[in-house]
Amino acid sequence: MLRASVLSLALLIAAPVAQADTVSTFTLDNGMEVVVIEDHRAPVVVHMVWYRIGSADEPVGASGVAHFLEHLLFKGTETLAPGEFSATVAANGGDDNAFTSFDYTAYFQRIAADRLDIMMRMESDRMKNLLLLDEDIATERQVIIEERNQRVENNPGALAREQIRAAQYLNHRYGVPIIGWMHEMEELSREDAVGFYDLYYSPNNAILIVAGDVQPDDVLALAQTHYGVIPAEPALPDRLRPAEPPQRAERRLIYEDPRVSQPYVSRSYLAPERDSGAQETAAALVYLAEILGGSSATSVLGSALTYDTQTAVYAGAGYDGLSLDSTTFTLSVAPAEGVSLQQAEDAMDAAIAGFLEAGPDPDQLDRIRTQLRASEIYARDNVEGLARSYGAALTSGLTVQDVQDWPAVLQAVTAADIMAAAAQVLDRNQAVTAWVLASREELTQ
């Protein structure tokens, strides 16, 4: 067993960058994009429809309507009774769900490959034939309010993150929570949902992704039968968002909540997203996040704060470049007992300054490069994960080629690239620093 593990690791390290997935792309006459990812290892298919519409595209004053509409799409249509969609998926041995983000809303089913026709028939039906009753609005509005209560109002960390994002984005809709502000959610109406649905749930605003044991020509034929007959939306607007003004000074806040069991320091910086044909800076930021806080044992913050000085019980960093507009690079430190938030922040800043002076450790850089290569290879074993990676990328302004280029872009990152990205992003004048604690009395102790 040990010999096999060593051999597998050696093969992985020596392996080339993950080969491109077998992907075919089409565009229907009504503007709907179709992406087919072949994987014939199991007779299973993942069927997804991604809409280029998320919470950041909502009208001002109607925050939460994108997520609200996601819930409402599981109500009835002119041909399907409420709940019949998911019941049909389950009766055919599959599962289904949906999710909303800042930049997209997506619906999916995972099912036996020979049931794909049924999935397309039902999903295309609710693209244009949603039937919403007044009682559906009242019931589902209460559901999303309760969801906010459970996930946000009862979670001091979630509430703190909302305040941090609101401070980070003064003008862009990324500063508004995906689930919505409570006072606006309570006023969401049938007219809000229907207006959003009629305009944006259109084939020319959608991407169909089918991954699994399928043939591209067969998928295209089914897509033309079910989705191709839906007219394009002629009034679909260009996808324009309010631009964020230049941030010229650091923003700071203290979030106090008696339910906070472990105080912590959080800092987020505005950071560039992955851009089509220009993913190099985003790739360097992936490395920077791993170097600074990816491991509690070997990262810059982890080793300096949790091991060398025992200043913190946790230190980490994070970055996700899949975003249509500018995203964030985050750092966080939870101080050890007896260490103040100011001391924890000072230790964090000292560790970052030391890194900016010394640069990446070559051995650590090689280790991260191998780990990223491994993760890209292992990701190919998950057909649903592949479908999601393409969907999230395409609705965030990237192309199929960008997705396939990404592993090679990651492998090409150099120490100089990382330092250039760090110099660009780690600027306190474009940061929000937050102290999250149970009581301000802790500041005087």
Side-chain angles (χ1 to χ4, degrees), residues 182-296:
M182 180 68 86
H183 67 285
E184 293 183 350
M185 294 168 65
E186 292 172 338
E187 300 299 323
L188 290 174
S189 66
R190 183 179 183 279
E191 289 70 25
D192 292 326
V194 170
F196 203 75
Y197 172 78
D198 286 345
L199 183 59
Y200 293 113
Y201 276 56
S202 306
N204 49 325
N205 198 41
I207 303 168
L208 169 65
I209 297 183
V210 177
D213 189 21
V214 292
Q215 296 295 334
D217 289 345
D218 295 338
V219 173
L220 176 59
L222 287 173
Q224 289 172 330
T225 297
H226 295 293
Y227 294 105
V229 296
I230 302 174
E233 172 53 62
L236 184 69
D238 292 334
R239 200 174 191 190
L240 302 175
R241 272 96 171 265
E244 188 68 15
Q247 184 174 337
R248 305 185 187 280
E250 181 181 12
R251 299 163 190 162
R252 300 186 66 90
L253 62 92
I254 297 175
Y255 183 76
E256 179 183 13
D257 191 314
R259 298 169 297 177
V260 173
S261 58
Q262 169 64 60
Y264 60 92
V265 178
S266 174
R267 181 179 296 151
S268 65
Y269 302 83
L270 282 176
E273 72 283 0
R274 284 170 60 181
D275 287 327
S276 183
Q279 303 182 88
E280 290 78 11
T281 298
L285 289 173
V286 171
Y287 279 83
L288 182 63
E290 287 295 319
I291 290 170
L292 292 182
S295 166
S296 60

Side-chain angles (χ1 to χ4, degrees), residues 30 33 73 89 147 161 196 277 282 290 311 360 437:
N30 58 12
E33 294 183 32
L73 245 71
V89 175
E147 183 177 341
R161 287 191 294 273
F196 203 75
E290 287 295 319
T311 302
L437 70 172

Side-chain angles (χ1 to χ4, degrees), residues 25-257:
T25 60
F26 311 94
T27 301
L28 304 184
D29 290 342
N30 58 12
M32 187 174 190
E33 294 183 32
V34 181
V35 178
V36 182
I37 308 168
E38 294 181 65
D39 186 330
H40 301 288
R41 290 174 293 178
V44 175
V45 67
V46 175
H47 171 262
M48 308 189 80
V49 172
W50 295 70
Y51 292 95
R52 292 187 183 87
I53 190 73
S55 66
D57 304 293
E58 296 167 337
V60 174
S63 65
V65 69
H67 175 248
F68 184 36
L69 185 55
E70 175 212 312
H71 278 244
L72 290 170
L73 245 71
F74 289 88
K75 300 299 181 181
T77 69
E78 296 173 3
T79 58
L80 292 171
E84 186 178 352
F85 189 112
S86 294
T88 302
V89 175
N92 282 273
D95 59 84
D96 72 317
N97 213 325
F99 46 90
T100 303
S101 187
F102 289 111
D103 297 317
Y104 53 75
T105 308
Y107 302 82
F108 72 93
Q109 304 86 40
R110 180 182 174 89
I111 201 160
D114 62 358
R115 303 295 196 275
L116 179 59
D117 179 74
I118 301 172
M119 300 303 104
M120 283 205 192
R121 174 174 55 80
M122 293 195 300
E123 192 68 78
S124 62
D125 179 41
R126 68 176 175 180
M127 179 180 281
K128 274 304 173 190
N129 298 318
L130 185 63
L131 187 62
L132 294 179
L133 306 177
D134 289 339
E135 53 264 34
D136 295 330
I137 299 297
T139 300
E140 212 58 40
R141 184 172 54 220
Q142 193 56 44
V143 169
I144 62 169
I145 287 172
E146 183 56 30
E147 183 177 341
R148 180 178 169 90
N149 282 331
Q150 292 179 357
R151 296 186 177 184
V152 182
E153 301 296 338
N154 290 328
N155 184 335
L159 289 169
R161 287 191 294 273
E162 281 191 345
Q163 296 302 306
I164 293 169
R165 289 196 69 91
Q168 184 83 76
Y169 294 98
L170 297 184
N171 197 44
H172 196 285
R173 296 287 289 180
Y174 285 168
V176 178
I178 294 170
I179 198 168
W181 297 118
M182 180 68 86
H183 67 285
E184 293 183 350
M185 294 168 65
E186 292 172 338
E187 300 299 323
L188 290 174
S189 66
R190 183 179 183 279
E191 289 70 25
D192 292 326
V194 170
F196 203 75
Y197 172 78
D198 286 345
L199 183 59
Y200 293 113
Y201 276 56
S202 306
N204 49 325
N205 198 41
I207 303 168
L208 169 65
I209 297 183
V210 177
D213 189 21
V214 292
Q215 296 295 334
D217 289 345
D218 295 338
V219 173
L220 176 59
L222 287 173
Q224 289 172 330
T225 297
H226 295 293
Y227 294 105
V229 296
I230 302 174
E233 172 53 62
L236 184 69
D238 292 334
R239 200 174 191 190
L240 302 175
R241 272 96 171 265
E244 188 68 15
Q247 184 174 337
R248 305 185 187 280
E250 181 181 12
R251 299 163 190 162
R252 300 186 66 90
L253 62 92
I254 297 175
Y255 183 76
E256 179 183 13
D257 191 314

